[in-house]
Amino acid sequence: MSSTTHRLCEGRVVIVTGAGRGLGRAHALAHAAEGARVVVNDLGVGLDGTPDPDSPAAQVVEEIRAGGGDAIAHGADIATTEGAASLVHTALETYGRLDTLVNNAGFLRDRMLVNLDEDDWDAVIRVHLKGHFLPLKHAAAHWRAETKAGRPPTARIVNTSSGAGLLGSVGQSNYSAAKAGIVGLTLVAAAELARYGVQVNAIAPAARTRMTEGVFTETMTAPGTGFDTMAPENVSPLVVWLGSAASEGVTGRVFETEGGRITVMEGWRPGPTTDKQSRWSPTDAGETVRKLLAEAQPPGQVYGSG
């Protein structure tokens, strides 16, 4: 772990979901390196959500403790009310407080739309979207109670969306819909929870993990530097900063991050418009739309459609 001097998260308690591997593991280790005490949540399942006998959460806890940090494992299903409530309870019971929630857990069940089973749709929406909502709800209820008790927190939530949720991704309609839903959830939560001292942001990361190993199959290095641009550890510094008190005033934002690049994503905004001040006929509406589209910026390309 880094020196105890000027550590960004000194004294803070951080929950990271899906923290046994990949991005979640990197986030947990990075928070611990900056002085946070970490609740390492991982259900210990395979890439498709089926049980994995080797739950990795305890291994990450041991890594943190071996480096002089403090962490505890949590293995419940955070896409259930009971699991999400126990997650927050574990932080409060173990460390007496909660400061940051990093929602990261997820898995994939990719199919082309016409081949996608209802169960695969439900499973991905459940884990990604419901698995964000329930921990957020229970953490926010705690912070609201703290505010009403005269102890306003400096609380942070960092959600995990994806480029698939911002642009779409061929073969991932369930995943894309869930990740787009997380952006909407982030915006609403940021607006509703500001009064309780809670800031809510989202990241759309690109990194080499189990979920992306079919895309980023090899180490990708920046020319002349040897810098592995797809390492999950590259994403974590932004997550740590967003989860710290240093990010004061930053809320309701979505950041795309990959390698050494950070981009503020700008969402739906009004483009070219016209108002007839009366009802359109279908033909006139169509002609007008074509004129407006000629003035508009083209949409971003859906991943995998090129």
Side-chain angles (χ1 to χ4, degrees):
M1 302 297 163
S2 62
S3 167
T4 57
T5 304
H6 304 304
R7 295 197 296 184
L8 201 59
C9 298
E10 197 71 56
R12 293 178 71 81
V13 174
V14 177
I15 289 172
V16 184
T17 69
R21 301 180 178 90
L23 283 168
R25 172 182 172 274
H27 299 340
L29 293 171
H31 275 96
E34 290 294 337
R37 293 165 287 175
V38 186
V39 179
V40 179
N41 164 266
D42 200 282
L43 187 57
V45 297
L47 179 59
D48 63 352
T50 56
D52 185 336
D54 299 317
S55 178
Q59 298 173 27
V60 176
V61 168
E62 287 306 310
E63 283 187 77
I64 290 172
R65 290 176 178 172
D70 193 352
I72 187 171
H74 178 270
D77 182 357
I78 47 82
T80 67
T81 294
E82 296 78 10
S86 75
L87 177 66
V88 173
H89 178 73
T90 296
L92 299 177
E93 184 178 58
T94 306
Y95 298 119
R97 61 184 296 135
L98 173 62
D99 300 284
T100 299
L101 168 64
V102 179
N103 281 317
N104 170 76
F107 61 73
L108 297 176
R109 291 188 182 176
D110 293 351
R111 299 284 190 282
M112 299 300 283
L113 185 60
V114 296
N115 296 323
L116 183 65
D117 291 335
E118 184 178 357
D119 288 347
D120 290 334
W121 173 273
D122 289 344
V124 169
I125 296 294
R126 174 186 178 275
V127 170
H128 286 274
L129 190 51
K130 193 175 182 182
H132 270 61
F133 159 65
L134 286 174
L136 190 159
K137 170 186 168 71
H138 286 278
H142 164 68
W143 289 322
R144 181 181 63 178
E146 287 291 285
T147 298
K148 291 183 175 181
R151 299 183 295 270
T154 304
R156 306 286 186 260
I157 297 172
V158 184
N159 292 329
T160 305
S161 183
S162 168
L166 303 178
L167 293 173
S169 179
V170 171
Q172 294 188 310
S173 57
N174 49 1
Y175 178 74
S176 297
K179 290 303 192 183
I182 287 167
V183 172
L185 175 64
T186 298
L187 301 180
V188 172
E192 290 186 358
L193 302 181
R195 71 189 71 179
Y196 306 125
V198 184
Q199 293 182 181
V200 190
N201 295 284
I203 60 166
R208 185 178 53 258
T209 68
R210 287 195 306 167
M211 287 175 55
T212 61
E213 62 186 6
V215 179
F216 308 126
T217 57
E218 300 177 357
T219 298
M220 301 173 67
T221 57
T225 68
F227 172 52
D228 181 2
T229 59
M230 288 294 105
E233 291 78 10
N234 300 332
V235 174
S236 299
L238 174 60
V239 175
V240 170
W241 183 82
L242 289 171
S244 75
S247 64
E248 179 65 31
V250 179
T251 194
R253 294 286 193 166
V254 179
F255 301 88
E256 195 171 65
T257 174
E258 172 188 333
R261 178 174 59 84
I262 296 172
T263 304
V264 178
M265 303 304 288
E266 297 182 334
W268 293 104
R269 298 176 183 273
T273 185
T274 188
D275 187 350
K276 186 180 178 182
Q277 298 293 317
S278 64
R279 184 177 300 146
W280 298 93
S281 73
T283 298
D284 288 346
E287 291 175 354
T288 299
V289 165
R290 290 194 179 280
K291 292 177 183 177
L292 293 175
L293 288 174
E295 303 171 13
Q297 293 292 322
Q301 184 175 347
V302 174
Y303 288 105
S305 65

